Amino acid sequence: MQTFNAHFPAVAFAASKNMAALLNTHASEVIKIRRITLLNPQTAAVTGVVCQIDLRHYISGTLTSPTAITPTSYDSTNTSPASLTVGHAGTIGGTARTLRRILWSSDEAAVSSATSDELENFVPLNVLYEWQPHSDVQPITLRQNEMIMVFNVSGAAGLLDVVIEYTKE
């Protein structure tokens, strides 16, 4: 199983925006999502807002003109998936199934203030999704024309880092 990491650094919040997505358009390669984490990289002072973020799974999804991200392989001998679009923003198509919904504070993180919204930066509290090996729960699986997306429904201030770890099988 070949493992990859797609890091979406400092994506600016905007309402109704794709913050991070993987779209598999290959007929036979299967992509399995292993973990999705979020981090607030905002260091400059900003008046934050509460953002609603959805983890969405699209069947027959499309994504045109995204800002492309180049994933990193965990093994230099791995071959990148043949037809995987990895990016944020762009035009989204298809019907979404919401798998998870969270609220996110988008102001700058300041550990010294020790307020509850800073906790969103600590593992395991920053994990949006994680597949548990050796469980009866299947990982999120992307077959042909399926897409996983971290989608900002509302709120438009600050920045977000997203990391999606996945395997090609």
Side-chain angles (χ1 to χ4, degrees):
M1 148 172 45
Q2 298 183 34
T3 307
F4 299 85
N5 175 316
H7 178 215
F8 302 78
V11 178
F13 275 101
S16 299
K17 181 179 180 182
N18 161 26
M19 303 298 283
L22 272 62
L23 170 63
N24 182 19
T25 58
H26 198 275
S28 60
E29 284 183 349
V30 174
I31 304 299
K32 294 192 177 182
I33 308 302
R34 302 303 176 160
R35 180 183 1 229
I36 301 173
T37 57
L38 309 176
L39 179 68
N40 181 346
Q42 185 72 40
T43 56
V46 64
T47 301
V49 296
V50 175
C51 299
Q52 177 185 315
I53 298 175
D54 288 354
L55 177 60
R56 294 181 172 184
H57 184 211
Y58 289 78
I59 306 297
S60 299
T62 61
L63 181 60
T64 54
S65 303
T67 301
I69 298 296
T70 302
T72 303
S73 172
Y74 284 0
D75 183 329
S76 62
T77 63
N78 289 350
T79 56
S80 295
S83 300
L84 185 67
T85 300
V86 181
H88 62 87
T91 303
I92 306 160
T95 302
R97 301 181 310 161
T98 300
L99 303 178
R100 184 162 294 157
R101 175 168 290 152
I102 65 166
L103 297 177
W104 183 268
S105 175
S106 68
D107 64 342
E108 76 281 0
V111 176
S112 61
S113 66
T115 59
S116 61
D117 63 340
E118 271 71 41
L119 295 175
E120 67 192 14
N121 284 305
F122 294 104
V123 176
L125 301 177
N126 70 339
V127 177
L128 181 60
Y129 169 81
E130 184 168 39
W131 177 71
Q132 298 297 320
H134 311 294
S135 73
D136 292 335
V137 178
Q138 295 176 306
I140 297 170
T141 301
L142 304 180
R143 300 189 185 283
Q144 186 174 23
N145 297 323
E146 293 187 9
M147 178 168 54
I148 192 73
M149 181 180 293
V150 176
F151 184 82
N152 184 51
V153 176
S154 61
L159 304 171
L160 183 70
D161 278 8
V162 180
V163 175
I164 302 177
E165 291 178 317
Y166 62 95
T167 56
K168 177 183 84 169
E169 300 179 17

